Amino acid sequence: MKRYIKTFVPALALALTFGTTACTSDLDVEPIDPNFVEPSAEQLFTKCYATIAAAGNGGADGDSDVDGIDGGTSGYYRQMWNAQDLTTDEAICGWGDEGISNFVDNSYDASHPMLRGYYYRLYTAITFCNQYLDQYAEHDATMTAEIRFLRAFHYFQLMDGWGNVPFATEISSAAPEQRSRAEIFQFIESELLAIEPSLSDAKAKKSTDANYGRVDKAACWMLLARLYLNAEVYTGTAQWDKAAEYAKKVMDSDYKLNTNGSGVWSAYQMLFMGDNGETDAAYEMVWPLLQDGLRTTSWGTSLFLIAGPWQEDMYENPLDENATNGTDAAWKGNRARKELVLKFFPDGNAPLGLHGYEMTQEAGDDRALFTSVGGRTLENAELGVFTSGFSVTKFTNFKTDGSAGHGSTHPDMDCPMMRKAEAYLIYAEATARQNGGNATSAGVDALNQLRLRAHASGKSSYTLNDILDEWSRETFFEGLRRTCLIRFNKYGGTTDYQWSWKGGTYEGRDFSATRNLFAIPTTDLTANSNLVQNPGY
């Protein structure tokens, strides 16, 4: 059976002064300040995890942790995904929700409703962590280290997205000061290095094992590896050696690449299925967000990944020709940009009329999980038409025996925040950057392990551009792409890389490098006179 993260605690007072202006639209936000019973250490500890996996108390249909935010639209993972993938060459969406089109064509600004919601959710999560550390830092050394990790992770997202951001590590009524990106980098680094000895040993776990879903030393190493991999962007000074060092720690840890499929399901597919916490796929999950179709539910986590790119005519269970995705939800929204599909079909010969499990055979790569049935086209010529583009079938609520999860709408698929496979990509890239832009022999081996796991042929060499493509093949739709493109100088500014609708034109065009950072929300600039807006907004 699964062990569940539950949201026991009433929403807590947000003592930081972020966005205290009045709300006028669905995604305007202001902190909740209800009367509540003081939570215990265990309750508040659980809440610090749960706010990432669910919008608020009571699961999918409960109150949002931040007043004025629709809990479904603005879940932590959902908005991280929108900011990271919908702005890039991987994903496109034709929904009319306010802000979606601005993600798609890279025209977001300081009033963007979804970025504002994401920003405040990150600070709400930080405040939960600060409250725990204020009240219970001496309660348990390992629990305290985990909460400090979560807070560092939230600050990493803020630093990555917004650069110079408000900073506070304690509960206070004073408006927080703005810290530079380099200062936030130094804080995250020092925090992770300080807590590493107190975290649990790196140990692969299934849902039946104690502490499944909690971070350990491997998650700490992975976040350090991410931090150092992007150090040149964040601070102006590259730290490729440290990125490789910490990625190698994860590679050498007890966590394992899932290499054995189960019946009709490939080893790669098993990572994103309804029983991914119960099969050997769990051993690749360095940090999963726990989801359950009946007890731990959210509109913005695993269900968003599964239902967002789905339509009712998609049947992706080879064991049941009438099954869709293992839930009753099909939202007809997110789909693949042409450039993502071309990573698997570089000659432009992606076949039409195939289900996802057939597409992988044509691509010679288990990761090419796209469907082109129902009159879908490779091109994304019509933004508002769901079939204008291939659909993504990577995430499902099927179990390896072919059955669906035990909830009719909400899935059992645990949402992967960190997978061991990422360490192989970080290691290969970091060592290649130290080797004149070409993968070392050890880097080639690391990348080939991922390719061979997917039944794709190995290669004898990789350039940096090849490695960027491997990032996409392995981790597409997992909330990492924008950061990768910026690191490779292929996002904002003058670049050598275009994609459909980049910068607002179908052919794609460069847009200003200022958009490598998001704008600090106008509501926060109004509320806090200490803040200075990012250039270009």
Side-chain angles (χ1 to χ4, degrees), residues 383-414:
L383 282 173
V385 177
F386 183 64
T387 53
S388 184
F390 283 14
S391 293
V392 172
T393 63
K394 180 171 178 172
F395 307 96
T396 74
N397 196 35
F398 299 129
K399 298 183 178 181
T400 47
D401 65 3
S403 66
H406 61 274
S408 60
T409 295
H410 294 284
D412 296 336
M413 185 195 92
D414 293 333

PDB file of all heavy atoms in Angstrom, residues 383-414:
ATOM      1  N   LEU A 383      -3.186  27.494 -33.717  1.00  0.00           N
ATOM      2  CA  LEU A 383      -2.956  27.450 -32.278  1.00  0.00           C
ATOM      3  C   LEU A 383      -4.153  26.909 -31.501  1.00  0.00           C
ATOM      4  O   LEU A 383      -3.990  26.163 -30.537  1.00  0.00           O
ATOM      5  CB  LEU A 383      -2.608  28.849 -31.760  1.00  0.00           C
ATOM      6  CG  LEU A 383      -1.187  29.343 -32.005  1.00  0.00           C
ATOM      7  CD1 LEU A 383      -1.048  30.795 -31.583  1.00  0.00           C
ATOM      8  CD2 LEU A 383      -0.198  28.479 -31.230  1.00  0.00           C
ATOM      9  N   GLY A 384      -5.357  27.278 -31.903  1.00  0.00           N
ATOM     10  CA  GLY A 384      -6.537  26.910 -31.143  1.00  0.00           C
ATOM     11  C   GLY A 384      -7.127  25.560 -31.486  1.00  0.00           C
ATOM     12  O   GLY A 384      -8.168  25.191 -30.933  1.00  0.00           O
ATOM     13  N   VAL A 385      -6.492  24.811 -32.383  1.00  0.00           N
ATOM     14  CA  VAL A 385      -7.015  23.510 -32.805  1.00  0.00           C
ATOM     15  C   VAL A 385      -6.141  22.412 -32.210  1.00  0.00           C
ATOM     16  O   VAL A 385      -4.952  22.318 -32.514  1.00  0.00           O
ATOM     17  CB  VAL A 385      -7.044  23.404 -34.342  1.00  0.00           C
ATOM     18  CG1 VAL A 385      -7.515  22.021 -34.776  1.00  0.00           C
ATOM     19  CG2 VAL A 385      -7.941  24.494 -34.922  1.00  0.00           C
ATOM     20  N   PHE A 386      -6.731  21.574 -31.372  1.00  0.00           N
ATOM     21  CA  PHE A 386      -5.956  20.573 -30.646  1.00  0.00           C
ATOM     22  C   PHE A 386      -5.272  19.572 -31.569  1.00  0.00           C
ATOM     23  O   PHE A 386      -4.184  19.083 -31.273  1.00  0.00           O
ATOM     24  CB  PHE A 386      -6.863  19.835 -29.653  1.00  0.00           C
ATOM     25  CG  PHE A 386      -6.135  18.826 -28.800  1.00  0.00           C
ATOM     26  CD1 PHE A 386      -5.161  19.236 -27.898  1.00  0.00           C
ATOM     27  CD2 PHE A 386      -6.419  17.475 -28.902  1.00  0.00           C
ATOM     28  CE1 PHE A 386      -4.486  18.307 -27.108  1.00  0.00           C
ATOM     29  CE2 PHE A 386      -5.747  16.549 -28.118  1.00  0.00           C
ATOM     30  CZ  PHE A 386      -4.779  16.973 -27.218  1.00  0.00           C
ATOM     31  N   THR A 387      -5.889  19.269 -32.698  1.00  0.00           N
ATOM     32  CA  THR A 387      -5.286  18.291 -33.614  1.00  0.00           C
ATOM     33  C   THR A 387      -4.210  18.906 -34.505  1.00  0.00           C
ATOM     34  O   THR A 387      -3.615  18.199 -35.319  1.00  0.00           O
ATOM     35  CB  THR A 387      -6.377  17.651 -34.500  1.00  0.00           C
ATOM     36  OG1 THR A 387      -7.128  18.688 -35.144  1.00  0.00           O
ATOM     37  CG2 THR A 387      -7.301  16.787 -33.668  1.00  0.00           C
ATOM     38  N   SER A 388      -3.944  20.197 -34.363  1.00  0.00           N
ATOM     39  CA  SER A 388      -2.867  20.853 -35.100  1.00  0.00           C
ATOM     40  C   SER A 388      -1.573  20.643 -34.317  1.00  0.00           C
ATOM     41  O   SER A 388      -1.091  21.511 -33.600  1.00  0.00           O
ATOM     42  CB  SER A 388      -3.162  22.340 -35.286  1.00  0.00           C
ATOM     43  OG  SER A 388      -2.177  22.961 -36.073  1.00  0.00           O
ATOM     44  N   GLY A 389      -1.037  19.440 -34.461  1.00  0.00           N
ATOM     45  CA  GLY A 389       0.114  19.025 -33.689  1.00  0.00           C
ATOM     46  C   GLY A 389      -0.098  17.627 -33.149  1.00  0.00           C
ATOM     47  O   GLY A 389      -1.245  17.186 -32.972  1.00  0.00           O
ATOM     48  N   PHE A 390       0.980  16.902 -32.909  1.00  0.00           N
ATOM     49  CA  PHE A 390       0.881  15.560 -32.342  1.00  0.00           C
ATOM     50  C   PHE A 390       0.545  15.657 -30.851  1.00  0.00           C
ATOM     51  O   PHE A 390       0.945  16.600 -30.167  1.00  0.00           O
ATOM     52  CB  PHE A 390       2.191  14.797 -32.510  1.00  0.00           C
ATOM     53  CG  PHE A 390       2.435  14.266 -33.898  1.00  0.00           C
ATOM     54  CD1 PHE A 390       1.679  14.695 -34.985  1.00  0.00           C
ATOM     55  CD2 PHE A 390       3.437  13.332 -34.120  1.00  0.00           C
ATOM     56  CE1 PHE A 390       1.910  14.205 -36.258  1.00  0.00           C
ATOM     57  CE2 PHE A 390       3.685  12.826 -35.397  1.00  0.00           C
ATOM     58  CZ  PHE A 390       2.922  13.267 -36.469  1.00  0.00           C
ATOM     59  N   SER A 391      -0.170  14.669 -30.360  1.00  0.00           N
ATOM     60  CA  SER A 391      -0.504  14.612 -28.943  1.00  0.00           C
ATOM     61  C   SER A 391       0.530  13.782 -28.193  1.00  0.00           C
ATOM     62  O   SER A 391       1.123  12.848 -28.740  1.00  0.00           O
ATOM     63  CB  SER A 391      -1.902  14.007 -28.746  1.00  0.00           C
ATOM     64  OG  SER A 391      -2.889  14.874 -29.265  1.00  0.00           O
ATOM     65  N   VAL A 392       0.728  14.119 -26.939  1.00  0.00           N
ATOM     66  CA  VAL A 392       1.740  13.470 -26.099  1.00  0.00           C
ATOM     67  C   VAL A 392       1.067  12.423 -25.221  1.00  0.00           C
ATOM     68  O   VAL A 392       0.101  12.713 -24.516  1.00  0.00           O
ATOM     69  CB  VAL A 392       2.462  14.514 -25.233  1.00  0.00           C
ATOM     70  CG1 VAL A 392       3.390  13.851 -24.216  1.00  0.00           C
ATOM     71  CG2 VAL A 392       3.250  15.475 -26.121  1.00  0.00           C
ATOM     72  N   THR A 393       1.590  11.204 -25.260  1.00  0.00           N
ATOM     73  CA  THR A 393       1.005  10.087 -24.503  1.00  0.00           C
ATOM     74  C   THR A 393       1.969   9.561 -23.446  1.00  0.00           C
ATOM     75  O   THR A 393       1.863   8.419 -23.015  1.00  0.00           O
ATOM     76  CB  THR A 393       0.610   8.954 -25.469  1.00  0.00           C
ATOM     77  OG1 THR A 393       1.787   8.450 -26.119  1.00  0.00           O
ATOM     78  CG2 THR A 393      -0.370   9.443 -26.519  1.00  0.00           C
ATOM     79  N   LYS A 394       2.878  10.394 -23.019  1.00  0.00           N
ATOM     80  CA  LYS A 394       3.941   9.981 -22.086  1.00  0.00           C
ATOM     81  C   LYS A 394       3.385   9.589 -20.717  1.00  0.00           C
ATOM     82  O   LYS A 394       3.877   8.651 -20.088  1.00  0.00           O
ATOM     83  CB  LYS A 394       4.949  11.122 -21.955  1.00  0.00           C
ATOM     84  CG  LYS A 394       6.117  10.869 -21.027  1.00  0.00           C
ATOM     85  CD  LYS A 394       7.143  11.993 -21.157  1.00  0.00           C
ATOM     86  CE  LYS A 394       8.321  11.834 -20.218  1.00  0.00           C
ATOM     87  NZ  LYS A 394       9.387  12.820 -20.478  1.00  0.00           N
ATOM     88  N   PHE A 395       2.371  10.300 -20.253  1.00  0.00           N
ATOM     89  CA  PHE A 395       1.861  10.108 -18.896  1.00  0.00           C
ATOM     90  C   PHE A 395       0.491   9.434 -18.942  1.00  0.00           C
ATOM     91  O   PHE A 395      -0.407   9.891 -19.653  1.00  0.00           O
ATOM     92  CB  PHE A 395       1.743  11.452 -18.189  1.00  0.00           C
ATOM     93  CG  PHE A 395       3.013  12.263 -18.212  1.00  0.00           C
ATOM     94  CD1 PHE A 395       3.215  13.245 -19.185  1.00  0.00           C
ATOM     95  CD2 PHE A 395       4.007  12.047 -17.277  1.00  0.00           C
ATOM     96  CE1 PHE A 395       4.382  13.989 -19.209  1.00  0.00           C
ATOM     97  CE2 PHE A 395       5.184  12.781 -17.298  1.00  0.00           C
ATOM     98  CZ  PHE A 395       5.376  13.752 -18.264  1.00  0.00           C
ATOM     99  N   THR A 396       0.315   8.372 -18.169  1.00  0.00           N
ATOM    100  CA  THR A 396      -0.975   7.690 -18.093  1.00  0.00           C
ATOM    101  C   THR A 396      -1.232   7.226 -16.665  1.00  0.00           C
ATOM    102  O   THR A 396      -0.331   7.201 -15.825  1.00  0.00           O
ATOM    103  CB  THR A 396      -1.044   6.452 -19.015  1.00  0.00           C
ATOM    104  OG1 THR A 396      -0.268   5.388 -18.446  1.00  0.00           O
ATOM    105  CG2 THR A 396      -0.549   6.764 -20.414  1.00  0.00           C
ATOM    106  N   ASN A 397      -2.471   6.834 -16.422  1.00  0.00           N
ATOM    107  CA  ASN A 397      -2.838   6.258 -15.128  1.00  0.00           C
ATOM    108  C   ASN A 397      -3.025   4.751 -15.223  1.00  0.00           C
ATOM    109  O   ASN A 397      -3.630   4.138 -14.353  1.00  0.00           O
ATOM    110  CB  ASN A 397      -4.126   6.911 -14.601  1.00  0.00           C
ATOM    111  CG  ASN A 397      -4.340   6.642 -13.125  1.00  0.00           C
ATOM    112  OD1 ASN A 397      -3.393   6.572 -12.352  1.00  0.00           O
ATOM    113  ND2 ASN A 397      -5.594   6.471 -12.731  1.00  0.00           N
ATOM    114  N   PHE A 398      -2.528   4.140 -16.291  1.00  0.00           N
ATOM    115  CA  PHE A 398      -2.571   2.687 -16.399  1.00  0.00           C
ATOM    116  C   PHE A 398      -1.564   2.059 -15.446  1.00  0.00           C
ATOM    117  O   PHE A 398      -0.497   2.629 -15.180  1.00  0.00           O
ATOM    118  CB  PHE A 398      -2.251   2.227 -17.826  1.00  0.00           C
ATOM    119  CG  PHE A 398      -3.221   2.725 -18.853  1.00  0.00           C
ATOM    120  CD1 PHE A 398      -2.770   3.359 -19.996  1.00  0.00           C
ATOM    121  CD2 PHE A 398      -4.583   2.562 -18.676  1.00  0.00           C
ATOM    122  CE1 PHE A 398      -3.657   3.818 -20.956  1.00  0.00           C
ATOM    123  CE2 PHE A 398      -5.485   3.015 -19.626  1.00  0.00           C
ATOM    124  CZ  PHE A 398      -5.022   3.649 -20.772  1.00  0.00           C
ATOM    125  N   LYS A 399      -1.877   0.894 -14.978  1.00  0.00           N
ATOM    126  CA  LYS A 399      -0.926   0.090 -14.233  1.00  0.00           C
ATOM    127  C   LYS A 399      -0.334  -0.952 -15.179  1.00  0.00           C
ATOM    128  O   LYS A 399      -0.856  -1.196 -16.266  1.00  0.00           O
ATOM    129  CB  LYS A 399      -1.606  -0.559 -13.030  1.00  0.00           C
ATOM    130  CG  LYS A 399      -2.157   0.472 -12.047  1.00  0.00           C
ATOM    131  CD  LYS A 399      -2.754  -0.167 -10.818  1.00  0.00           C
ATOM    132  CE  LYS A 399      -3.256   0.901  -9.850  1.00  0.00           C
ATOM    133  NZ  LYS A 399      -3.822   0.308  -8.623  1.00  0.00           N
ATOM    134  N   THR A 400       0.746  -1.561 -14.773  1.00  0.00           N
ATOM    135  CA  THR A 400       1.443  -2.464 -15.685  1.00  0.00           C
ATOM    136  C   THR A 400       0.644  -3.724 -15.996  1.00  0.00           C
ATOM    137  O   THR A 400       0.954  -4.422 -16.961  1.00  0.00           O
ATOM    138  CB  THR A 400       2.823  -2.841 -15.116  1.00  0.00           C
ATOM    139  OG1 THR A 400       2.697  -3.206 -13.740  1.00  0.00           O
ATOM    140  CG2 THR A 400       3.779  -1.660 -15.231  1.00  0.00           C
ATOM    141  N   ASP A 401      -0.390  -4.027 -15.217  1.00  0.00           N
ATOM    142  CA  ASP A 401      -1.256  -5.156 -15.565  1.00  0.00           C
ATOM    143  C   ASP A 401      -2.358  -4.742 -16.535  1.00  0.00           C
ATOM    144  O   ASP A 401      -3.210  -5.560 -16.900  1.00  0.00           O
ATOM    145  CB  ASP A 401      -1.851  -5.797 -14.312  1.00  0.00           C
ATOM    146  CG  ASP A 401      -2.796  -4.864 -13.553  1.00  0.00           C
ATOM    147  OD1 ASP A 401      -3.042  -3.723 -14.013  1.00  0.00           O
ATOM    148  OD2 ASP A 401      -3.291  -5.274 -12.485  1.00  0.00           O
ATOM    149  N   GLY A 402      -2.357  -3.471 -16.957  1.00  0.00           N
ATOM    150  CA  GLY A 402      -3.340  -2.980 -17.913  1.00  0.00           C
ATOM    151  C   GLY A 402      -4.539  -2.316 -17.286  1.00  0.00           C
ATOM    152  O   GLY A 402      -5.312  -1.646 -17.980  1.00  0.00           O
ATOM    153  N   SER A 403      -4.724  -2.473 -15.995  1.00  0.00           N
ATOM    154  CA  SER A 403      -5.864  -1.856 -15.323  1.00  0.00           C
ATOM    155  C   SER A 403      -5.602  -0.380 -15.094  1.00  0.00           C
ATOM    156  O   SER A 403      -4.473   0.099 -15.203  1.00  0.00           O
ATOM    157  CB  SER A 403      -6.143  -2.563 -13.998  1.00  0.00           C
ATOM    158  OG  SER A 403      -5.070  -2.361 -13.093  1.00  0.00           O
ATOM    159  N   ALA A 404      -6.664   0.342 -14.746  1.00  0.00           N
ATOM    160  CA  ALA A 404      -6.531   1.767 -14.456  1.00  0.00           C
ATOM    161  C   ALA A 404      -6.374   1.978 -12.963  1.00  0.00           C
ATOM    162  O   ALA A 404      -6.591   1.068 -12.155  1.00  0.00           O
ATOM    163  CB  ALA A 404      -7.752   2.520 -14.974  1.00  0.00           C
ATOM    164  N   GLY A 405      -5.990   3.193 -12.603  1.00  0.00           N
ATOM    165  CA  GLY A 405      -5.891   3.532 -11.195  1.00  0.00           C
ATOM    166  C   GLY A 405      -7.235   3.435 -10.502  1.00  0.00           C
ATOM    167  O   GLY A 405      -8.287   3.328 -11.146  1.00  0.00           O
ATOM    168  N   HIS A 406      -7.235   3.485  -9.171  1.00  0.00           N
ATOM    169  CA  HIS A 406      -8.478   3.203  -8.455  1.00  0.00           C
ATOM    170  C   HIS A 406      -9.372   4.408  -8.268  1.00  0.00           C
ATOM    171  O   HIS A 406     -10.431   4.293  -7.663  1.00  0.00           O
ATOM    172  CB  HIS A 406      -8.178   2.531  -7.117  1.00  0.00           C
ATOM    173  CG  HIS A 406      -7.352   3.323  -6.165  1.00  0.00           C
ATOM    174  ND1 HIS A 406      -5.979   3.317  -6.175  1.00  0.00           N
ATOM    175  CD2 HIS A 406      -7.696   4.149  -5.149  1.00  0.00           C
ATOM    176  CE1 HIS A 406      -5.514   4.081  -5.205  1.00  0.00           C
ATOM    177  NE2 HIS A 406      -6.525   4.619  -4.584  1.00  0.00           N
ATOM    178  N   GLY A 407      -8.982   5.572  -8.809  1.00  0.00           N
ATOM    179  CA  GLY A 407      -9.875   6.713  -8.844  1.00  0.00           C
ATOM    180  C   GLY A 407     -10.316   6.972 -10.276  1.00  0.00           C
ATOM    181  O   GLY A 407      -9.534   6.825 -11.213  1.00  0.00           O
ATOM    182  N   SER A 408     -11.576   7.356 -10.480  1.00  0.00           N
ATOM    183  CA  SER A 408     -12.064   7.515 -11.845  1.00  0.00           C
ATOM    184  C   SER A 408     -11.520   8.769 -12.527  1.00  0.00           C
ATOM    185  O   SER A 408     -11.397   8.802 -13.753  1.00  0.00           O
ATOM    186  CB  SER A 408     -13.599   7.562 -11.861  1.00  0.00           C
ATOM    187  OG  SER A 408     -14.067   8.663 -11.088  1.00  0.00           O
ATOM    188  N   THR A 409     -11.195   9.794 -11.752  1.00  0.00           N
ATOM    189  CA  THR A 409     -10.661  11.028 -12.329  1.00  0.00           C
ATOM    190  C   THR A 409      -9.214  11.261 -11.932  1.00  0.00           C
ATOM    191  O   THR A 409      -8.354  11.472 -12.778  1.00  0.00           O
ATOM    192  CB  THR A 409     -11.507  12.243 -11.901  1.00  0.00           C
ATOM    193  OG1 THR A 409     -12.820  12.108 -12.454  1.00  0.00           O
ATOM    194  CG2 THR A 409     -10.891  13.542 -12.408  1.00  0.00           C
ATOM    195  N   HIS A 410      -8.939  11.232 -10.664  1.00  0.00           N
ATOM    196  CA  HIS A 410      -7.601  11.583 -10.202  1.00  0.00           C
ATOM    197  C   HIS A 410      -6.681  10.367 -10.234  1.00  0.00           C
ATOM    198  O   HIS A 410      -7.060   9.272  -9.823  1.00  0.00           O
ATOM    199  CB  HIS A 410      -7.672  12.193  -8.805  1.00  0.00           C
ATOM    200  CG  HIS A 410      -8.385  13.502  -8.785  1.00  0.00           C
ATOM    201  ND1 HIS A 410      -7.806  14.665  -9.228  1.00  0.00           N
ATOM    202  CD2 HIS A 410      -9.658  13.819  -8.427  1.00  0.00           C
ATOM    203  CE1 HIS A 410      -8.667  15.663  -9.115  1.00  0.00           C
ATOM    204  NE2 HIS A 410      -9.800  15.174  -8.639  1.00  0.00           N
ATOM    205  N   PRO A 411      -5.454  10.554 -10.710  1.00  0.00           N
ATOM    206  CA  PRO A 411      -4.565   9.419 -10.953  1.00  0.00           C
ATOM    207  C   PRO A 411      -3.766   8.990  -9.729  1.00  0.00           C
ATOM    208  O   PRO A 411      -3.645   9.728  -8.741  1.00  0.00           O
ATOM    209  CB  PRO A 411      -3.627   9.944 -12.042  1.00  0.00           C
ATOM    210  CG  PRO A 411      -3.565  11.420 -11.788  1.00  0.00           C
ATOM    211  CD  PRO A 411      -4.919  11.806 -11.270  1.00  0.00           C
ATOM    212  N   ASP A 412      -3.192   7.808  -9.847  1.00  0.00           N
ATOM    213  CA  ASP A 412      -2.267   7.283  -8.846  1.00  0.00           C
ATOM    214  C   ASP A 412      -0.820   7.545  -9.238  1.00  0.00           C
ATOM    215  O   ASP A 412       0.088   7.248  -8.453  1.00  0.00           O
ATOM    216  CB  ASP A 412      -2.438   5.762  -8.704  1.00  0.00           C
ATOM    217  CG  ASP A 412      -3.824   5.379  -8.190  1.00  0.00           C
ATOM    218  OD1 ASP A 412      -4.463   6.211  -7.529  1.00  0.00           O
ATOM    219  OD2 ASP A 412      -4.257   4.244  -8.462  1.00  0.00           O
ATOM    220  N   MET A 413      -0.581   8.053 -10.438  1.00  0.00           N
ATOM    221  CA  MET A 413       0.790   8.265 -10.900  1.00  0.00           C
ATOM    222  C   MET A 413       1.489   9.296 -10.023  1.00  0.00           C
ATOM    223  O   MET A 413       1.072  10.441  -9.928  1.00  0.00           O
ATOM    224  CB  MET A 413       0.803   8.764 -12.348  1.00  0.00           C
ATOM    225  CG  MET A 413       2.202   8.899 -12.939  1.00  0.00           C
ATOM    226  SD  MET A 413       2.242   9.885 -14.467  1.00  0.00           S
ATOM    227  CE  MET A 413       2.563  11.527 -13.792  1.00  0.00           C
ATOM    228  N   ASP A 414       2.563   8.868  -9.358  1.00  0.00           N
ATOM    229  CA  ASP A 414       3.371   9.815  -8.603  1.00  0.00           C
ATOM    230  C   ASP A 414       4.158  10.686  -9.580  1.00  0.00           C
ATOM    231  O   ASP A 414       4.707  10.196 -10.569  1.00  0.00           O
ATOM    232  CB  ASP A 414       4.315   9.070  -7.656  1.00  0.00           C
ATOM    233  CG  ASP A 414       3.555   8.340  -6.560  1.00  0.00           C
ATOM    234  OD1 ASP A 414       2.448   8.780  -6.216  1.00  0.00           O
ATOM    235  OD2 ASP A 414       4.069   7.318  -6.061  1.00  0.00           O
TER     236      ASP A 414
END
